[in-house]
């Protein structure tokens, strides 16, 4: 990853030449998720890029949850629990 400060805000964790999809996929890999899904607005134009990492809480260990929570950076990376 190469820094590109002109592209995104300094505090943005994806300020490197990484798409939001690549960043959340990297988080899933780093936290050793066995299964996950990603949604994104990457094909939309004129809106800031967003991606969501979706992990089923069944089988999610405390260690994995803590790892996911360690990436939370308000405004840029949030953690939301949703029920189905």
């Amino acid at each position: 990853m190469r820094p590109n400060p002109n592209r995104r805000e300094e505090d943005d964790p994806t300020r490197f030449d990484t798409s939001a999809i690549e960043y959340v996929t990297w988080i899933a890999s780093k936290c050793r998720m066995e299964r996950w899904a990603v949604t994104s607005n990457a094909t939309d134009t004129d809106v800031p890029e967003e991606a969501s990492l979706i992990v089923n809480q069944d089988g999610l260990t405390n260690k994995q949850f803590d790892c996911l929570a360690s990436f939370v950076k308000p405004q840029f990376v949030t953690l939301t629990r949703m029920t189905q």
Side-chain angles (χ1 to χ4, degrees):
M1 292 189 253
R2 296 178 308 277
N4 187 350
N6 296 325
R7 205 168 121 191
R8 297 187 178 116
E9 294 180 45
E10 185 176 322
D11 292 340
D12 187 341
T14 63
R15 68 185 173 279
F16 301 102
D17 288 336
T18 302
S19 71
I21 294 172
E22 290 171 323
Y23 186 71
V24 295
T25 301
W26 176 79
I27 290 172
S29 176
K30 185 87 170 165
C31 294
R32 299 178 184 245
M33 299 288 112
E34 292 181 16
R35 286 177 275 162
W36 69 87
V38 175
T39 62
S40 171
N41 68 347
T43 58
D44 295 345
T45 58
D46 298 332
V47 295
E49 181 184 10
E50 293 181 3
S52 297
L53 173 65
I54 303 163
V55 178
N56 189 332
Q57 68 183 21
D58 294 340
L60 184 67
T61 67
N62 286 339
K63 188 173 183 177
Q64 289 170 320
F65 178 83
D66 291 344
C67 179
L68 291 172
S70 74
F71 288 96
V72 171
K73 192 167 198 169
Q75 181 184 352
F76 299 108
V77 181
T78 59
L79 181 62
T80 306
R81 180 178 180 224
M82 299 173 68
T83 58
Q84 295 182 357

